[in-house]
Amino acid sequence: MKRVILSLLALLVLVVILGFQEQDFSDREAMIKAKVSERVEDYRRSLKKRCRDKVMEEANIRVDSILIARSEEIYTVDSIPRPVKPIKPVKPEVPLLEKPEPIAPVVGKGTGQ
């Protein structure tokens, strides 16, 4: 209980001390003017940045379209024509076997089994 009364008394003393302080209003107008000029400068800076971004975006679009339009005129290394398709060799004539023998797997020969 004593702590509560003591803290309220300290708060009251602090309020009384701060209440009798002299306030200087001469710099208030200067602070307002400085804050207004700072905000105006920030607005101008952001407006210039937005305008610059729009101009750069439009310039990129125009440059890209010009490059695409002129791409047929510009010689590049990649425009080498494909080589002609090679001619197939002639198949050799192989006589067919008269009696075809079935092919059977050879298992276990030569391994000692």
Side-chain angles (χ1 to χ4, degrees):
M1 184 72 174
K2 285 186 178 182
R3 282 188 167 178
V4 173
I5 293 174
L6 188 60
S7 63
L8 288 175
L9 184 61
L11 183 65
L12 180 65
V13 169
L14 184 63
V15 168
V16 169
I17 290 173
L18 291 177
F20 287 110
Q21 293 289 325
E22 288 186 31
Q23 294 181 0
D24 187 20
F25 292 109
S26 62
D27 290 339
R28 188 172 187 182
E29 290 296 323
M31 286 180 11
I32 291 173
K33 286 180 183 178
K35 194 67 169 177
V36 167
S37 65
E38 181 182 333
R39 285 189 174 182
V40 167
E41 188 61 34
D42 286 344
Y43 177 74
R44 285 181 182 160
R45 203 175 307 128
S46 68
L47 187 63
K48 283 182 182 179
K49 185 181 182 309
R50 281 187 289 173
C51 289
R52 185 178 186 335
D53 290 344
K54 283 182 184 178
V55 167
M56 292 302 286
E57 183 179 340
E58 180 68 27
N60 282 336
I61 291 171
R62 288 188 184 191
V63 167
D64 289 344
S65 63
I66 290 171
L67 286 175
I68 289 170
R70 294 193 60 204
S71 66
E72 295 174 1
E73 300 170 9
I74 299 172
Y75 173 76
T76 59
V77 177
D78 294 339
S79 63
I80 298 174
R82 296 180 78 176
V84 181
K85 205 171 187 182
I87 301 171
K88 283 188 172 181
V90 180
K91 278 188 172 181
E93 292 185 24
V94 178
L96 293 175
L97 297 174
E98 294 179 9
K99 183 179 176 189
E101 297 178 14
I103 300 174
V106 179
V107 179
K109 289 188 177 178
T111 59
Q113 292 181 359

